Amino acid sequence: MDETAEARLKRMKMRSWRRGTKEMDLVLGPFADARLAALTPDELDLYDALLAESDQDLMAWILGQAAPPAAFSGLLDRIAAFAEARLRAGN
């Protein structure tokens, strides 16, 4: 059975909030809540692939400690900018 668009967003939001580390929960969870519904189908595919990556790799990529795979770099820039804006706003 195919996953509905609504079920896919729900699954991806849950996976964003229930990572292996609390730090990644706090980076990906709010981004998913605020931005997933506005992503294009291709961007959702990319985000879904990103969710399969390890938290250690994701954190290193977001913090600029390691170069991400080229396919993820634009999306990771958006996630990092979103997280930074939340920190500055005190959320």
Side-chain angles (χ1 to χ4, degrees):
M1 185 169 150
D2 289 329
E3 185 177 44
T4 65
E6 182 180 332
R8 183 181 191 197
L9 288 177
K10 185 176 179 179
R11 174 184 55 79
M12 291 170 72
K13 285 180 182 182
M14 186 174 69
R15 287 189 63 205
S16 297
W17 276 106
R18 296 178 190 233
R19 304 292 307 171
T21 64
K22 188 64 174 175
E23 294 84 359
M24 287 312 304
D25 293 350
L26 296 174
V27 171
L28 294 179
F31 177 84
D33 286 349
R35 306 283 194 220
L36 279 191
L39 295 182
T40 68
D42 287 342
E43 290 170 328
L44 285 173
D45 289 345
L46 187 60
Y47 188 83
D48 214 0
L50 188 76
L51 290 174
E53 298 293 331
S54 76
D55 283 5
Q56 292 77 17
D57 288 341
L58 288 171
M59 187 58 75
W61 297 337
I62 288 171
L63 294 175
Q65 297 170 338
F72 291 141
S73 63
L75 179 58
L76 287 167
D77 288 345
R78 290 169 63 186
I79 293 169
F82 180 85
E84 186 175 343
R86 284 187 69 241
L87 283 174
R88 289 180 186 211
N91 295 330

